[in-house]
Amino acid sequence: MKKILHILKVKDDPSPLKIIQKQAETNAVTVVLIQDAGELKVDLKGVTVWKLAEEGVAPSGPTLGYKELLDEIFKADMVVTW
């Protein structure tokens, strides 16, 4: 089982969510919402979703800071940005 980290920056593209959900069937998947994607409401089965706290958007739900984001990047086997 791979640890996959997806960093979403864009909110208008539904493609990443389909791919993320499929990967979550056999992998440990984490998603971090940054920039425009910070406004998204993401509810994917088996996927951990974080919002970057320092983006200037009043995030709802679990947040992490830049240091924690860097930790997640180094823990991941694969990092994908959208």
Side-chain angles (χ1 to χ4, degrees):
M1 177 181 292
K2 289 185 179 179
K3 290 184 179 184
I4 303 172
L5 173 64
H6 289 270
I7 301 173
L8 298 181
K9 300 185 291 184
V10 181
K11 65 179 178 182
D12 299 328
D13 185 2
S15 303
L17 299 179
K18 293 175 186 173
I19 293 168
I20 291 166
Q21 186 64 70
K22 185 69 176 166
Q23 287 179 336
E25 293 173 6
T26 56
N27 298 285
V29 179
T30 300
V31 173
V32 178
L33 305 173
I34 67 171
Q35 298 174 353
D36 289 342
E39 302 170 14
L40 284 176
K41 303 283 189 244
V42 178
D43 184 24
L44 299 171
K45 184 178 179 181
V47 177
T48 302
V49 180
W50 297 94
K51 292 185 181 184
L52 190 59
E54 286 87 352
E55 284 299 316
V57 176
S60 60
T63 62
L64 53 81
Y66 285 107
K67 181 191 177 310
E68 291 85 9
L69 174 57
L70 190 59
D71 291 342
E72 290 294 322
I73 290 169
F74 283 110
K75 285 193 288 186
D77 296 310
M78 180 170 61
V79 178
V80 183
T81 58
W82 302 87

